[in-house]
Amino acid sequence: MNPNHDHVSAVDLHAAVDLRLRAAGLRNSRSRQVVVDVLVRAGRPLSLPEILDTDAELAQSSAYRNLGELVDAGVARRVESADDHARFELHESLTGHHHHLVCTSCGRVEDFDVPDDFEAGIDVMVDAAESQGFRIDAHRFDLLGRCARCA
Amino acid sequence: MNPNHDHVSAVDLHAAVDLRLRAAGLRNSRSRQVVVDVLVRAGRPLSLPEILDTDAELAQSSAYRNLGELVDAGVARRVESADDHARFELHESLTGHHHHLVCTSCGRVEDFDVPDDFEAGIDVMVDAAESQGFRIDAHRFDLLGRCARCA
DNA sequence: CTTTCTGCAAACGATTTGCAGCAGC
DNA sequence: GCTGCTGCAAATCGTTTGCAGAAAG
């Protein structure tokens, strides 16, 4: 029922993050660990302000820079919300594939799992899409509405 | 197979647009007509630069302002792509419900229809989502990849 | 005429980047 | 000690907005 954020155990997760950073030629610096830890604890995609609120020791520019590098290294992923702030979450290979509930009022994003047969239906459509000339390699499915606080 | 952009006939479409503008207390000015016509002809969501390229007589600020008003009036809709430009298309009530193919390289967006049973599956999930505290009123489903030009 | 639009230019705000000093290995 | 990382402040760039003159009705 809850999104499976334990797709990889906590220990393995940090090991995996470390590995990917090294593979990308990046140091596992303190502020990068902080960013990753914030995302792990949140369990949902966070905006830059939300990340900074969680750990005030972090400089804004460094947070942005780290997030970009984490995305490039396959550790994090950028998520589009409904307001003018991007959100960031751990890469799906670390948390498991899932989708999002997006609040169109405040921009809050929560994870949401869908049935396997729904995912199977998506695979079928990819073939149809490729006949339109696109080479498909991902999808995004979001339910939009009002979160509990904004409803 | 092709997205049904003839959900409303051309004549009815302009009448419907006119009606919605009036209902919103807006005049059906020439530049608003131009913006709507560009979107109608495109048959896919366009970025601001794409809209301006199509009709150079349009001032950038007016185009942005008109698009915002058209969105508020229920005539147009903002679509998130993969680059840093928003896209705009006619409201689904005018073109019919559809989804999008998004090029992660150039940001190009094309319309894409999905089977009815897939849409039905979405309806089922809305109930599950609302048990997480969200009041759902829309969804977005995009297939992401490389368009024919970028592949 | 009065109200709404338009274009120009300036303002905004999220994100990015140059640079000088600090930290990791 | 190099090399990469951080923070600060400045730059970028899509988008928004104030304002004076131009259209719509």
Side-chain angles (χ1 to χ4, degrees):
Chain A
M1 180 166 283
N2 282 320
N4 63 347
H5 281 121
D6 45 6
H7 181 256
V8 170
S9 79
V11 178
D12 289 347
L13 190 152
H14 279 103
V17 168
D18 199 72
L19 200 61
R20 292 183 197 188
L21 286 177
R22 290 182 194 289
L26 299 172
R27 289 176 183 167
N28 195 349
S29 68
R30 167 142 296 275
S31 76
R32 284 189 191 126
Q33 291 172 23
V34 168
V35 171
V36 170
D37 283 346
V38 169
L39 294 183
V40 171
R41 289 201 209 95
R44 64 182 175 89
L46 296 184
S47 66
L48 206 281
E50 286 173 328
I51 292 172
L52 294 184
D53 284 350
T54 304
D55 192 307
E57 298 305 303
L58 217 46
Q60 187 184 55
S61 63
S62 297
Y64 270 121
R65 199 150 19 196
N66 283 332
L67 285 166
E69 291 157 343
L70 289 171
V71 169
D72 291 344
V75 171
R77 182 164 81 114
R78 175 188 290 256
V79 174
E80 308 300 331
S81 177
D83 61 8
D84 46 16
H85 276 280
R87 314 277 151 153
F88 296 89
E89 67 178 2
L90 290 184
H91 193 277
E92 288 199 322
S93 59
L94 301 170
T95 61
H97 179 62
H98 59 272
H99 296 278
H100 295 122
L101 305 180
V102 177
C103 179
T104 51
S105 178
C106 71
R108 181 185 174 93
V109 179
E110 289 181 17
D111 289 358
F112 176 65
D113 283 336
V114 307
D116 287 343
D117 59 345
F118 182 77
E119 293 290 346
I122 293 175
D123 293 339
V124 172
M125 289 185 298
V126 168
D127 293 335
E130 299 206 326
S131 71
Q132 266 187 52
F134 269 66
R135 175 73 50 87
I136 304 301
D137 48 45
H139 63 264
R140 62 185 179 200
F141 172 65
D142 307 313
L143 293 179
L144 310 173
R146 301 294 193 104
C147 71
R149 284 178 60 185
C150 295
Chain B
M1 181 166 283
N2 281 320
N4 62 347
H5 281 123
D6 45 7
H7 183 256
V8 170
S9 78
V11 178
D12 289 349
L13 189 153
H14 279 104
V17 168
D18 198 73
L19 200 62
R20 292 184 197 188
L21 286 176
R22 290 184 194 290
L26 298 172
R27 291 175 182 169
N28 195 349
S29 68
R30 169 142 296 276
S31 76
R32 284 189 191 125
Q33 292 173 23
V34 168
V35 171
V36 170
D37 282 345
V38 168
L39 294 183
V40 171
R41 288 201 210 95
R44 64 183 175 88
L46 296 185
S47 66
L48 206 282
E50 286 173 330
I51 292 172
L52 295 184
D53 284 350
T54 303
D55 192 306
E57 298 306 302
L58 218 44
Q60 186 184 57
S61 63
S62 298
Y64 271 122
R65 198 149 23 196
N66 282 332
L67 286 166
E69 292 157 343
L70 290 171
V71 168
D72 292 343
V75 172
R77 183 164 81 113
R78 175 188 290 254
V79 174
E80 309 298 331
S81 179
D83 60 8
D84 45 16
H85 276 279
R87 314 277 152 153
F88 297 89
E89 66 178 4
L90 289 184
H91 193 277
E92 288 198 323
S93 59
L94 301 171
T95 60
H97 179 61
H98 59 272
H99 296 279
H100 295 122
L101 306 181
V102 177
C103 180
T104 52
S105 178
C106 71
R108 181 186 176 94
V109 179
E110 288 182 18
D111 290 358
F112 176 64
D113 283 335
V114 307
D116 288 343
D117 59 345
F118 182 79
E119 293 291 345
I122 292 175
D123 293 339
V124 172
M125 289 185 296
V126 168
D127 294 334
E130 298 206 327
S131 71
Q132 267 187 49
F134 269 69
R135 174 75 50 87
I136 304 302
D137 48 45
H139 63 264
R140 62 185 178 200
F141 172 66
D142 308 312
L143 294 179
L144 311 173
R146 302 294 193 102
C147 71
R149 283 178 61 185
C150 294

